Amino acid sequence: MSKILLVNGSPHEKGCTYTALHEMAKTFAKLDVETELLWLGKKPLQDCTACNQCLKTGRCVFSDVVNETADRLKDFDGIVVGSPVYYAGPTGIVTSFLNRLTFSCTKDGRLHGKLAASVVSCRRGGATAAFDRLNKYFQMSNMAVVGSQYWNQVHGFTPDEVRKDLEGLQTMRTLARNMTWLAKCIEAGRKAGIEYPEHEPITMTNFID
């Protein structure tokens, strides 16, 4: 059975972002896909200090939810990260979480090949900019970014308003179905002997004379 981690980056545990993720969770359950919801909470989360120690050890120097999540990545086939929209971007706690999680997993490639998607919630505007920002983490981590019938966004100022966004909720359900299908395709490929590609060592080009 596949398992998907749903990350709620909203300060509201059961707010609009949760409503979108919960719609996905209900669809996953109907498809026999297990989900686990991780709420990042209200307390400040340490940001990356660019010490680069994780490139040597494969582990962030700060012990908190980032390392706890990294240690459990083997249990999940995919990750969905949800965030409300703040000034056309995701919340600070989400970016702090992803800055450290994705960078600390660079050494051993723990995120490579996993399914990924982002979900954003906004009252009115800024959704696509926040959506694009979140997807960049996945695209630089050799993850398979899953799409839906529209950009993964819901609209509303309250959970009740989000529940009236029928297109947004349908987009969440379609996203869950697409992730499930891709997870099954990857598993079928693995059983058929199709292995994950080997990657070259990363070459970094700095723009200096």
Side-chain angles (χ1 to χ4, degrees), residues 40-131:
L40 296 180
K42 294 177 179 287
K43 295 181 180 180
L45 184 66
Q46 174 66 50
D47 199 5
C48 177
T49 60
C51 69
N52 291 328
Q53 288 302 305
C54 64
L55 294 181
K56 302 175 183 177
T57 66
R59 191 169 183 80
C60 183
V61 295
F62 301 107
S63 295
D64 56 17
V65 67
V66 173
N67 280 341
E68 292 169 7
T69 303
D71 289 342
R72 298 190 58 219
L73 284 175
K74 62 183 182 300
D75 299 331
F76 301 101
D77 300 284
I79 300 174
V80 179
V81 177
S83 175
V85 175
Y86 287 3
Y87 292 92
T91 60
I93 197 168
V94 164
T95 54
S96 293
F97 176 79
L98 289 174
N99 282 342
R100 291 172 50 211
L101 179 69
T102 55
F103 199 58
S104 64
C105 290
T106 299
K107 179 179 173 62
D108 60 11
R110 272 174 286 180
L111 289 169
H112 291 190
K114 292 188 181 295
L115 301 176
S118 60
V119 168
V120 293
S121 167
C122 70
R123 182 190 68 83
R124 189 171 181 85
T128 54
F131 178 64

Side-chain angles (χ1 to χ4, degrees), residues 7-209:
V7 180
N8 181 2
S10 171
H12 300 293
E13 185 176 7
K14 295 292 179 70
C16 297
T17 302
Y18 166 83
T19 304
L21 293 174
H22 183 61
E23 191 72 14
M24 291 189 69
K26 291 189 296 183
T27 303
F28 278 128
K30 292 177 181 177
L31 299 170
D32 294 324
V33 174
E34 187 178 352
T35 58
E36 182 175 322
L37 181 64
L38 171 63
W39 179 48
L40 296 180
K42 294 177 179 287
K43 295 181 180 180
L45 184 66
Q46 174 66 50
D47 199 5
C48 177
T49 60
C51 69
N52 291 328
Q53 288 302 305
C54 64
L55 294 181
K56 302 175 183 177
T57 66
R59 191 169 183 80
C60 183
V61 295
F62 301 107
S63 295
D64 56 17
V65 67
V66 173
N67 280 341
E68 292 169 7
T69 303
D71 289 342
R72 298 190 58 219
L73 284 175
K74 62 183 182 300
D75 299 331
F76 301 101
D77 300 284
I79 300 174
V80 179
V81 177
S83 175
V85 175
Y86 287 3
Y87 292 92
T91 60
I93 197 168
V94 164
T95 54
S96 293
F97 176 79
L98 289 174
N99 282 342
R100 291 172 50 211
L101 179 69
T102 55
F103 199 58
S104 64
C105 290
T106 299
K107 179 179 173 62
D108 60 11
R110 272 174 286 180
L111 289 169
H112 291 190
K114 292 188 181 295
L115 301 176
S118 60
V119 168
V120 293
S121 167
C122 70
R123 182 190 68 83
R124 189 171 181 85
T128 54
F131 178 64
D132 178 62
R133 175 75 171 88
L134 290 173
N135 285 334
K136 283 181 167 59
Y137 289 101
F138 312 140
Q139 291 166 332
M140 289 182 65
S141 300
N142 284 303
M143 303 179 78
V145 182
V146 184
S148 185
Q149 67 190 44
Y150 197 75
W151 296 304
N152 307 331
Q153 57 187 272
V154 294
H155 290 261
F157 193 60
T158 66
D160 283 339
E161 289 182 359
V162 170
R163 283 188 277 269
K164 295 177 183 178
D165 180 9
L166 300 184
E167 182 178 358
L169 294 181
Q170 186 180 64
T171 301
M172 297 303 111
R173 294 192 297 271
T174 300
L175 177 59
R177 293 188 186 102
N178 288 347
M179 290 193 81
T180 301
W181 175 71
L182 284 169
K184 291 180 178 179
C185 288
I186 291 171
E187 179 60 25
R190 188 177 294 120
K191 290 179 179 177
I194 302 174
E195 301 294 337
Y196 185 74
E198 284 191 27
H199 296 297
E200 302 173 20
I202 294 176
T203 298
M204 299 182 69
T205 302
N206 301 318
F207 294 96
I208 57 176
D209 292 333

